[in-house]
């Protein structure tokens, strides 16, 4: 079995996580012992990636209940407050709100030690299910990787972004585990550099061959015939098949279509939001302008310049060749196929 990346784990009544802001230079572990700690870790992107923030928010809900229990206050009021605080950290990835709502539901009708036990089991189950869903995505998606196996990916949708196996990286990892040739073009993914810092680090550790490129090189790689397919993850897939993912994903989908290259989206059912009908309804997180004006702690723009920093974009369903979930591979019309693949 290939090596797992455990980006977070529960130990000694605290949520521990690998600080993804300082990878690949440092493997630093932080311990979150309060809801404030978990909310700050998600907001600052010490932990990031849609499934991973869902799992860690679930443990944040467990912490809220434990602390209420210890202080002798009503856990249900504490859980409602924690849900509101955690949901407000990052608006785009629906896995976050899905996980906190699931924890609230698990706690309903319970109290005292029984409630704590139940929430602990539920957070562990959310994490274990994510791992299983990602492995299934790998099994289904591996068939889509062409024989030469040259795949371009964007951002980090690997072990670090999930409970340990990844979504977009799952078919790639599975192909590698099966001994099939696979080579990954990794977009650096400005401004947060998830591709350069995290995906390159993961693939190197797994022994999977890769070439790191800047985002602006994707077009010429496709034009030169270097790329067989694109596989990306998702933060939210809505009922008509529109996909929110890391900023730059939409541009890649347009490029893939222009070069007649398949563009695949890999995501578990926890990312499918059937309550929203189209991509225009997806809230897009706007982040600190300093992420754009600075790079590696160095200013790269004149001070005072106007900056836009949307963290995600929406790729219209018509540009998506197929969506890979834990239940299989879906093609258009997505509004018919997606409800059969779960979602909420
Ligand atoms: O801002 P991030 O790093 O949390 O964005 C992550 C992405 O856009 C991923 O592609 C997505 O969450 C899927 S992760 C399996």
């Amino acid at each position: 079995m290939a090596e797992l990346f455990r980006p977070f784990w529960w130990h000694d009544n605290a949520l521990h996580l690998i600080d993804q802001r300082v990878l690949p230079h440092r493997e630093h572990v932080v311990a979150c012992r309060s809801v404030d700690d978990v909310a700050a870790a998600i907001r600052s992107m010490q932990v990031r990636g849609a499934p991973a923030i869902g799992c860690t928010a679930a443990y944040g809900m467990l912490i809220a209940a434990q602390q209420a229990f210890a202080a002798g206050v009503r856990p249900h009021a504490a859980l409602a407050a924690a849900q509101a605080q955690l949901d407000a950290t990052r608006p785009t990835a629906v896995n976050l709100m899905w996980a906190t709502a699931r924890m609230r539901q698990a706690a309903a009708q319970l109290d005292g030690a029984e409630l704590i036990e139940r929430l602990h089991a539920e957070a562990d189950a959310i994490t274990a299910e994510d791992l299983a869903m990602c492995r299934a995505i790998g099994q289904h998606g591996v068939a889509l990787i062409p024989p030469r196996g040259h795949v371009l990916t964007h951002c980090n949708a690997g072990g670090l972004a999930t409970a340990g196996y990844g979504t977009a990286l799952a078919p790639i990892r599975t192909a590698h585990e099966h001994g099939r040739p696979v080579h990954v073009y990794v977009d650096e993914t400005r401004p947060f550099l998830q591709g350069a810092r995290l995906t390159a680090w993961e693939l190197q550790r797994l022994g999977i061959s890769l070439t790191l490129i800047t985002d602006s090189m994707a077009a010429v790689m496709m034009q030169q015939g270097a790329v067989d397919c694109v596989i990306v993850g998702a933060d939210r897939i809505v009922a008509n098949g529109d996909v929110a993912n890391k900023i730059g994903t939409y541009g890649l989908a347009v490029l893939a279509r222009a070069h007649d290259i398949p563009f695949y989206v890999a995501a578990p059912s926890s990312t499918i939001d059937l309550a929203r009908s189209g991509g225009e309804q997806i809230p897009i997180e706007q982040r600190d302008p300093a992420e754009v004006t600075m790079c590696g702690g160095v200013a790269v723009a004149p001070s005072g310049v106007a900056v836009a920093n949307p963290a995600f974009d929406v790729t219209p369903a018509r540009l998506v060749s197929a969506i890979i979930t834990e239940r299989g591979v879906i093609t258009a019309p997505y509004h018919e196929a997606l409800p059969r693949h779960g979602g909420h």
Side-chain angles (χ1 to χ4, degrees):
M1 188 62 68
E3 183 189 1
L4 277 179
F5 297 106
R6 289 228 172 257
F8 57 86
W9 59 95
W10 182 256
H11 174 66
D12 197 17
N13 273 337
L15 174 69
H16 291 74
L17 41 92
I18 298 176
D19 185 348
Q20 299 192 31
R21 296 177 314 178
V22 297
L23 281 173
H25 307 299
R26 282 203 301 142
E27 291 180 34
H28 176 64
V29 175
V30 290
C32 299
R33 299 184 189 280
S34 66
V35 179
D36 284 352
D37 287 349
V38 178
I42 294 173
R43 195 189 298 278
S44 68
M45 294 171 64
Q46 284 180 311
V47 59
R48 33 69 45 207
I53 63 177
C55 297
T56 49
Y59 287 106
M61 296 288 281
L62 169 61
I63 293 173
Q66 283 182 325
Q67 292 188 339
F69 185 58
V73 301
R74 285 190 61 238
H76 291 284
L79 282 170
Q83 181 181 26
Q85 184 180 356
L86 292 164
D87 285 1
T89 53
R90 300 196 72 193
T92 304
V94 74
N95 308 58
L96 173 58
M97 300 82 190
W98 167 83
T100 57
R102 185 167 152 177
M103 293 294 279
R104 281 296 296 285
Q105 207 172 358
Q109 323 297 341
L110 298 178
D111 221 328
E114 204 188 347
L115 180 147
I116 305 295
E117 252 173 57
R118 179 77 177 79
L119 286 186
H120 194 166
E122 194 70 10
D124 286 350
I126 288 172
T127 302
E129 286 169 27
D130 183 71
L131 204 49
M133 290 191 291
C134 287
R135 287 198 184 281
I137 287 170
Q139 297 297 330
H140 295 299
V142 71
L144 298 175
I145 296 186
R148 186 178 67 155
H150 284 200
V151 181
L152 188 145
T153 193
H154 190 64
C155 192
N156 171 264
L160 289 166
T162 60
Y165 196 72
T167 58
L169 292 196
I172 291 164
R173 291 180 69 164
T174 305
H176 182 69
E177 288 162 23
H178 291 181
R180 285 186 41 189
V182 63
H183 181 85
V184 188
Y185 288 92
V186 177
D187 268 3
E188 67 168 350
T189 319
R190 270 285 283 158
F192 207 72
L193 301 177
Q194 290 94 329
R197 295 188 305 103
L198 308 176
T199 302
W201 180 79
E202 273 195 38
L203 292 174
Q204 250 188 2
R205 285 184 57 157
L206 290 165
I208 298 175
S209 150
L210 76 126
T211 303
L212 177 64
I213 59 173
T214 67
D215 301 337
S216 52
M217 295 173 191
V220 80
M221 291 296 160
M222 292 186 191
Q223 188 183 42
Q224 290 174 355
V227 178
D228 299 327
C229 70
V230 177
I231 310 180
V232 296
D235 289 84
R236 191 184 295 241
I237 301 172
V238 292
N240 70 349
D242 289 351
V243 174
N245 191 50
K246 180 52 52 196
I247 191 75
T249 301
Y250 170 47
L252 277 181
V254 172
L255 286 174
R257 178 58 55 91
H259 293 89
D260 209 13
I261 293 167
F263 179 89
Y264 301 124
V265 175
S269 52
S270 49
T271 306
I272 301 172
D273 177 4
L274 296 175
R276 301 197 192 220
S277 56
E280 70 288 347
Q281 295 173 16
I282 301 174
I284 299 294
E285 177 185 4
Q286 306 291 323
R287 290 190 65 86
D288 186 349
E291 289 178 357
V292 175
T293 57
M294 310 282 289
C295 194
V298 177
V300 292
S303 66
V305 71
V307 172
N309 189 14
F312 301 96
D313 58 28
V314 176
T315 299
R318 68 186 154 76
L319 296 177
V320 177
S321 310
I323 297 174
I324 312 159
T325 79
E326 74 273 16
R327 297 191 191 175
V329 177
I330 319 173
T331 52
Y334 294 111
H335 68 276
E336 285 177 8
L338 277 171
R340 292 197 297 272
H341 281 242
H344 41 92

